[in-house]
Amino acid sequence: MKLILTNEVSGLGAPGDVVEVKDGYGRNYLIPRGFAIRWTRGAESQVASLKKARASREIRDLGSAKEVAGQLGALKVKLKVRAGESGRLFGSVTTGDIADAVKAAGGPQLDRRRIEIGNAIKSVGTHKVSVRLHPEVAATIDVEVVAG
């Protein structure tokens, strides 16, 4: 199935890219969530204008993304969560929790969908979390999870 991405999809492409995916993935995941639209010749011409706009925006955004990455690298993020005596959390830390904690620590407002947690955070301690700010720029944040 040929689709045109409308949002950035990790591991697949950026907005405006024409991609070939399995029918079920496109029909059941990408299209219903608004990440993609079906490919047509008319939509292909829209892709060209989307790519031009994105190219001019990316040049401007790359510098700001690097600036934000520098801010995030210097940030101390502390997150208080409920935990048992052994240090295991009740539940886990979500990307939304991390975005709120970064904002509370004086950092920039982050989109929770751009935050990537390698393994689920289910214990107290310091954990590394990646933030995709731009297709070429990713920042790493040290999140200290403490029992509260």
Side-chain angles (χ1 to χ4, degrees):
M1 170 181 275
K2 230 175 177 182
L3 297 174
I4 300 170
L5 297 178
T6 56
N7 289 332
E8 186 174 333
V9 179
S10 196
L12 196 56
D17 289 351
V18 177
V19 294
E20 183 78 31
V21 296
K22 300 255 182 178
D23 290 348
Y25 183 51
R27 213 177 23 248
N28 298 327
Y29 182 75
L30 294 174
I31 293 174
R33 286 176 173 75
F35 293 148
I37 56 173
R38 287 188 184 274
W39 177 89
T40 61
R41 279 190 219 94
E44 182 95 39
S45 64
Q46 288 179 330
V47 169
S49 63
L50 276 174
K51 284 190 175 187
K52 280 183 190 173
R54 187 179 76 204
S56 65
R57 211 172 37 243
E58 276 184 0
I59 294 168
R60 195 173 50 223
D61 289 345
L62 183 60
S64 63
K66 287 182 179 176
E67 185 180 310
V68 170
Q71 287 178 348
L72 290 174
L75 206 57
K76 300 263 187 231
V77 180
K78 199 173 207 177
L79 188 60
K80 278 188 165 183
V81 293
R82 290 186 49 211
E85 291 180 22
S86 64
R88 283 188 49 94
L89 305 184
F90 296 126
S92 64
V93 175
T94 65
T95 55
D97 296 336
I98 293 170
D100 294 340
V102 168
K103 184 72 176 163
Q109 179 69 41
L110 295 176
D111 183 4
R112 65 177 177 77
R113 293 174 294 222
R114 296 204 172 267
I115 299 172
E116 295 175 347
I117 301 172
N119 294 329
I121 299 175
K122 295 185 176 214
S123 62
V124 173
T126 303
H127 302 274
K128 291 202 179 297
V129 175
S130 175
V131 181
R132 282 182 296 105
L133 299 168
H134 186 271
E136 299 171 19
V137 180
T140 303
I141 308 172
D142 285 329
V143 178
E144 186 181 348
V145 179
V146 294

